[in-house]
Every structure is written in structure tokens, then in C-alpha cells.
Amino acid sequence: MSDPVRFLVSFGQAVSTMALYNDGHPARERAVDRSYRCLRDLQQYDPTPRFSFLGEETIYQENALRELGDWEWGTRLAQAGIQRMELDPNVTREEYEEFLEEMMARITLSFIDSAEARPTRPSGIKVGTLGIRGDTRVLQEELEAEVQVATISYALGEEAACIQSMHREVQDRGKLPLAEAEAVVRSLSMAMHGEQEMILPLLQLKEFDEYTTTHSLNVSVLTMALAESLGLAQQDVRTFGIAGLLHDLGKVSVPQEILNKPGKLTDEERNIMQQHPVAGAKLIIESGRRLDLAAAVAHEHHIMINGHGYPTCHYRRGCHKASKLVHVCDVYDALRTRRPYRDAWEAERVLAYIEERAGTEFEPEAATAFVRMMRKAERGIQMSPLPPAETAPAKPPEGSP
């Protein structure tokens, strides 16, 4: 058993034991001691271990811990709002025990009497929801930078070419060029902000084999607009935009004859197609950068709030807020696009569909906000065709690192 797995197993056992025994009980003390020793063993070669809990998978640094399988504690932690956990090298045993107590309280929904609670002090254990975290201050500043105002109409040729290049690199090398994704989102963000009103620059599909490119760009734009309409901070808006841009990344592993099939898919073909959320999440995780929110969205964007959809959840749980927003935007753009087996739906028909399924397929707040935004933004929608491949520059958009 590897050290990260041994630590997590001991963590789950310690929390379970603490729920059974009162403070000071020998069994409780032994469980905490054992788990703390496992942590210190792990920190001998990894001083700052970092874990993420994604669907039924538990991620250590950027690697899925296959040995854990469907580890129930990962799902329990995620349901309690602990989707990420990072432990500093100087964590004391006392801090670790307090952390375990807090986790026990969150997971069991226990009430801690304020008279018994220990005084809060800085801890070497950081927990929270998933989110993009840049490796450099430069990336953080880019995400937080003030949005520039667009003064011209955008054709989006460079952005489309950049997405195509990014997908080719993922296919050829199995690695995600994150700098290109960030450059596209920055460029889209600028294109969305006119001098007087929000602009929604969307690409219109001409040939179905362009769908992955146009759909990725459109979902990114719609997701950022929806996040902004909900009052999210600019950093979160762009973070959600990157997640929207990458939500279908797993489709690069789906054969073109299945992606572009004009008729109904067979059961075998549908099974292959429905593997793309898991494939996309793995590609993002294994890219070597800390894009856990984008990985979560890639994994969850086809899961409905009533538990239906795919991939199948072995445990009922809530999806990340970003996944709920991307899901609405994904369905809207998909239904608005002509497919080999059906015509595009009219905008109002799609909005009525989203309204009807709010509360079953879609999270109600996201669905209501999206419909309201699209009806209000009707004048600001700019549809443009994807430029011909020979005229679309292959370089990243202006401002790319």
C-alpha cells in the first residue's frame, strides 16, 4: 500500500473512530496517533501532500489513486464541501486532531457546542472547494485583471484556430497546453464586454466536423456570461470560462465516425461516447497543472441534479456550481446547433425546454438565471461563421504567453 493511500485509509478510520468514542478515550487516541504517523511518513518525501476528491475518484497531486477504487470517504468529504485538502509540513498533532474533529462534525452534520469548541487559530491544513490555482503569480494576476472593453466586432478566427491547435496537441501528445486555453479565455472575455452592454460572440456551425471547436468556444462564452450575471468575481468568471472551454476535451479520444455519425448511435457507440467525461477529466488531471475545477466540470457536466445522466454516480452527491452552469450552457448550445440527425431548435424553444426541466435536469437557480440572461441579451448576441481553415491564423490569440 502506497503512503498516500495508507494515509487516506488511516484518515477515514480515525474519523470513524472519533464518531464512536468521546474525547480522551484510548481507542480514539490510538486512531489519531496512527493517522498522524501515516501523515508524517508521507511528508518525509512529500512535505505538502495535496488531495482532490473528484466524483468517485480520489486524486493525489495530479494522479488518480486507483488502489482506493470507489473510496466512500472521498464522496463524503465532497458532499461536506471538502473537495480539496492540502497539508503543510509543520502540521502538529494537536492541529491534526482538531482538523479530524471538524471533518467528523461536517460529515456527520454534528453540532459542536460553542462552549466546548476550541479557540480558532491558524492551521497548517487547507481545505475548500475546487478551483483553478495558478503555479505563478502571473497567472493569478491574469485571472484577477480588470476586463478590457471591446471596441470592434470579433470574428473569433484566432480563437477558433487556437482551440483546434489545442485539441490536436492533446490528441498527439496527450497533454493539455494550458497557456493556449488561458489565452482564448482572456480574448473571449475582452470580446464580451462592449462599451454599453454585454456582447455574446458566438460561432455558427457550417460543417458538422467543426462542432467540437465551435461548441467549446460557445459554451465558454455562455458560461462566463452566466457566471457574471450571477455576480461572481472576475477571477471566478474566467475560471468557469476555462472549465467551459475544456468541458468536452475527452471527445478528442472518441473516433470521428462516432462523433460525426448522421444516424442513431448503437448501444456500443453510445457507451464509447459516454466515456468522454471521464476521459476528459483524466486528461486535465494528467496535464501536470492544477486545474481541478476544470477536471470536475469535465467529469460532471452530463450529470443531472436528479442523479440521472452520465457517468453513473454510485453515491448520490451534488455537483460543483461550475458544473451546473456549464451543463445549462452545454445543452443550450447543443440544441441550438444543427446536427446530422436533426435541425437546430429555435432559441425560444430551447429556453422553454430549460425552464420546463429546471429542478429535475438543471439546477433551478442556474436555469432561471440563464433564461433571464438570454432573453435580456438577445440584442447583444453576435453570430459569426467559423472562418475557413486556410485563413484562420494558427497562432494563439494576442496576449498569449
Side-chain angles (χ1 to χ4, degrees):
M1 187 185 296
S2 67
D3 284 346
V5 172
R6 185 181 297 110
F7 164 67
L8 287 176
V9 170
S10 74
F11 168 87
Q13 291 172 343
V15 174
S16 296
T17 302
M18 294 176 80
L20 294 173
Y21 298 99
N22 293 329
D23 193 9
H25 192 284
R28 176 186 173 118
E29 295 301 309
R30 285 195 300 269
V32 175
D33 286 339
R34 184 167 52 249
S35 186
Y36 185 67
R37 284 197 303 272
C38 289
L39 171 62
R40 302 308 288 175
D41 289 344
L42 172 59
Q43 289 180 320
Q44 286 185 11
Y45 69 89
D46 183 3
T48 312
R50 184 179 70 251
F51 299 92
S52 301
F53 308 107
L54 171 65
E56 281 76 49
E57 291 201 55
T58 299
I59 312 301
Y60 168 61
Q61 307 297 28
E62 279 80 34
N63 301 308
L65 296 176
R66 306 295 181 206
E67 300 157 87
L68 286 176
D70 293 334
W71 187 54
E72 62 176 335
W73 284 100
T75 304
R76 291 183 182 183
L77 288 166
Q79 289 175 333
I82 308 299
Q83 299 166 312
R84 184 179 69 245
M85 180 168 66
E86 185 173 308
L87 302 103
D88 289 345
N90 59 349
V91 176
T92 67
R93 187 207 180 275
E94 183 181 9
E95 285 179 330
Y96 185 63
E97 184 174 5
E98 290 180 6
F99 169 68
L100 290 174
E101 287 178 347
E102 181 187 350
M103 295 304 98
M104 178 194 67
R106 289 203 192 191
I107 290 170
T108 63
L109 300 180
S110 299
F111 174 72
I112 300 178
D113 193 315
S114 59
E116 299 178 0
R118 301 182 184 181
T120 303
R121 55 176 167 265
S123 171
I125 304 175
K126 302 179 181 69
V127 297
T129 56
L130 296 176
I132 184 172
R133 292 165 307 212
D135 290 345
T136 66
R137 183 176 297 179
V138 173
L139 172 57
Q140 204 69 11
E141 289 174 350
E142 289 287 356
L143 288 169
E144 295 172 351
E146 183 178 351
V147 178
Q148 293 177 274
V149 174
T151 56
I152 61 174
S153 177
Y154 275 67
L156 302 181
E158 292 186 2
E159 290 78 4
C162 191
I163 293 171
Q164 292 167 338
S165 173
M166 182 177 69
H167 287 169
R168 285 195 298 270
E169 188 162 345
V170 172
Q171 285 179 315
D172 295 343
R173 299 178 54 213
K175 292 291 185 181
L176 170 66
L178 179 58
E180 295 187 19
E182 293 163 357
V184 169
V185 169
R186 285 198 301 274
S187 185
L188 292 176
S189 181
M190 186 173 71
M192 290 169 59
H193 292 86
E195 294 180 344
Q196 295 182 334
E197 60 182 10
M198 172 75 75
I199 298 169
L200 296 182
L202 303 176
L203 283 176
Q204 193 169 20
L205 189 70
K206 291 190 301 181
E207 302 295 334
F208 189 68
D209 57 8
E210 301 170 346
Y211 177 71
T212 302
T213 299
T214 60
H215 183 62
S216 299
L217 186 147
N218 289 351
V219 171
S220 182
V221 167
L222 292 169
T223 301
M224 283 195 285
L226 180 54
E228 192 165 316
S229 73
L230 288 170
L232 273 65
Q234 190 57 46
Q235 177 178 350
D236 292 330
V237 170
R238 295 196 197 183
T239 299
F240 283 27
I242 290 175
L245 188 74
L246 303 178
H247 79 285
D248 263 348
L249 193 66
K251 285 187 176 178
V252 300
S253 62
V254 178
Q256 288 295 313
E257 58 268 24
I258 295 179
L259 279 177
N260 300 332
K261 184 176 180 179
K264 185 179 180 181
L265 297 179
T266 65
D267 290 343
E268 182 180 0
E269 290 169 338
R270 185 176 297 103
N271 180 58
I272 293 172
M273 177 71 84
Q274 291 183 353
Q275 293 174 19
H276 81 266
V278 174
K282 290 179 179 177
L283 277 169
I284 296 170
I285 289 169
E286 294 168 0
S287 67
R289 299 292 296 271
R290 299 168 73 176
L291 268 174
D292 46 9
L293 184 140
V297 171
H299 189 275
E300 296 175 344
H301 71 279
H302 279 296
I303 298 175
M304 304 178 189
I305 67 167
N306 61 8
H308 297 172
Y310 58 90
T312 302
C313 295
H314 298 295
Y315 301 94
R316 186 70 178 270
R317 63 182 180 84
C319 293
H320 194 281
K321 182 181 182 69
S323 302
K324 296 172 184 176
L325 269 58
V326 169
H327 179 57
V328 177
C329 300
D330 176 40
V331 170
Y332 176 85
D333 189 66
L335 292 177
R336 287 284 291 133
T337 302
R338 180 178 58 82
R339 309 297 281 271
Y341 48 85
R342 64 157 174 80
D343 290 333
W345 287 20
E346 293 295 326
E348 189 53 41
R349 181 184 177 190
V350 181
L351 296 180
Y353 174 88
I354 292 172
E355 284 182 315
E356 178 186 340
R357 290 179 169 251
T360 54
E361 178 176 355
F362 307 109
E363 196 277 324
E365 181 187 13
T368 301
F370 182 83
V371 171
R372 182 172 60 245
M373 176 189 77
M374 294 305 292
R375 286 175 175 155
K376 182 179 178 181
E378 186 175 0
R379 291 181 303 170
I381 298 175
Q382 293 184 357
M383 300 295 298
S384 59
L386 187 67
E390 63 271 19
T391 63
K395 63 179 182 179
E398 189 69 25
S400 173

